[in-house]
Amino acid sequence: GESVGLHLPTLSVQEGDNSIINCAYSNSASDYFIWYKQESGKGPQFIIDIRSNMDKRQGQRVTVLLNKTVKHLSLQIAATQPGDSAVYFCAEKGGAGDSSYKLIFGSGTRLLVRP
Amino acid sequence: EPEVTQTPSHQVTQMGQEVILRCVPISNHLYFYWYRQILGQKVEFLVSFYNNEISEKSEIFDDQFSVERPDGSNFTLKIRSTKLEDSAMYFCASKRDPGTDTQYFGPGTRLTVL
């Protein structure tokens, strides 16, 4: 079952450094993954996504890596900025092939950027 | 850039009262969702809605919950008789069509049940 008051792992980085946020997913049949950024008091904001037929995808300052062998996903943020401070969630596509699928979220990682 | 909007931003209610949370999905989107996030916890799926009917619902989405698309723009979540444990952030999300997978989230409604 779920833990009440889950304590978020925290990653603290110096401004300008690169950040790497990791996520493990559960379903080896998942074919779509997505990273969201959530700032305090706001909804999840789309960052980048990747399909299971890829192992890397790049966006603006962000890269997502997918390792299906070990069911691991990572988000790399280049030249981290203070505005990147937030909680980052990975999510995998749930459901059984239906196009009306749900997202299954991970626990989240809090990124703190030191000036 | 089009976005999902939600009202109210904060709703305070007494236990046992009915609440309706409102969402306006992105205008050309066809799939709609409600999620919730209890303070400090992960985001949890509640229900998905397509073609004017529920596609999937979670165990959380019991008989006290219902969803409706009363017109061409609004998507609502009703909790018939609120409980203390319903206190959470409720997020609406929408997805464009079967060929896309990205869900876009609204800013959320904070529900506080006293």
Side-chain angles (χ1 to χ4, degrees), chain A residues 2-6 8 32 34 36 38 41-44 46 49 51 89 93 95 99-103 105-107, chain B residues 31 33 35 37 40-43 45 48-50 55-56 89 91 95 98-107:
Chain A
E2 297 273 345
S3 299
V4 176
L6 199 65
L8 286 177
Y32 175 78
I34 189 166
Y36 286 98
Q38 187 178 29
K42 297 184 179 180
F46 170 80
D49 55 5
R51 298 197 177 279
F89 291 96
K93 178 174 149 183
S99 62
S100 182
Y101 72 98
K102 62 187 177 187
L103 288 174
F105 280 77
S107 303
Chain B
Y31 295 82
Y33 306 83
Y35 292 80
Q37 185 179 32
Q41 298 191 23
K42 62 177 75 173
V43 178
F45 168 79
S48 58
F49 189 88
Y50 170 68
S55 303
E56 185 178 357
M89 282 289 288
F91 295 108
K95 178 171 90 82
T100 61
D101 287 320
T102 308
Q103 292 183 23
Y104 294 93
F105 283 74

Side-chain angles (χ1 to χ4, degrees), chain A residues 18-102:
Chain A
N18 297 334
S19 303
I20 300 176
I21 300 170
N22 297 303
C23 176
Y25 63 92
S26 56
N27 184 2
S28 58
S30 292
D31 63 359
Y32 175 78
F33 305 88
I34 189 166
W35 280 98
Y36 286 98
K37 172 186 180 183
Q38 187 178 29
E39 296 173 286
S40 182
K42 297 184 179 180
Q45 177 188 355
F46 170 80
I47 302 173
I48 192 168
D49 55 5
I50 189 168
R51 298 197 177 279
S52 59
N53 60 353
M54 304 171 69
D55 52 21
K56 180 179 180 179
R57 189 166 187 222
Q58 288 185 292
Q60 188 175 17
R61 280 200 309 119
V62 293
T63 301
V64 55
L65 298 177
L66 175 62
N67 185 332
K68 295 182 286 294
T69 303
V70 295
K71 294 188 286 187
H72 183 267
L73 198 65
S74 69
L75 176 70
Q76 300 179 359
I77 304 173
T80 314
Q81 302 169 359
D84 295 326
S85 293
V87 176
Y88 290 80
F89 291 96
C90 66
E92 62 182 298
K93 178 174 149 183
D98 191 314
S99 62
S100 182
Y101 72 98
K102 62 187 177 187

Side-chain angles (χ1 to χ4, degrees), chain B residues 10-91:
Chain B
H10 192 188
Q11 175 87 48
V12 181
T13 190
Q14 294 291 326
M15 188 170 57
Q17 295 297 303
E18 174 184 286
V19 294
I20 298 176
L21 310 182
R22 291 182 167 80
C23 168
V24 178
I26 296 172
S27 62
N28 62 344
H29 286 195
L30 301 177
Y31 295 82
F32 314 114
Y33 306 83
W34 285 101
Y35 292 80
R36 81 171 187 188
Q37 185 179 32
I38 294 171
L39 184 64
Q41 298 191 23
K42 62 177 75 173
V43 178
E44 302 173 286
F45 168 79
L46 291 178
V47 66
S48 58
F49 189 88
Y50 170 68
N51 201 26
N52 285 317
E53 60 182 25
I54 290 174
S55 303
E56 185 178 357
K57 57 185 180 180
S58 71
E59 293 175 352
I60 304 167
F61 195 89
D62 61 22
D63 292 345
Q64 294 300 313
F65 290 84
S66 63
V67 289
E68 191 178 31
R69 187 153 164 83
D71 53 43
S73 60
N74 290 283
F75 180 52
T76 63
L77 174 69
K78 181 192 291 186
I79 308 175
R80 191 176 313 140
S81 178
T82 50
K83 302 186 286 287
L84 295 176
E85 54 265 38
D86 293 328
S87 294
M89 282 289 288
Y90 287 82
F91 295 108

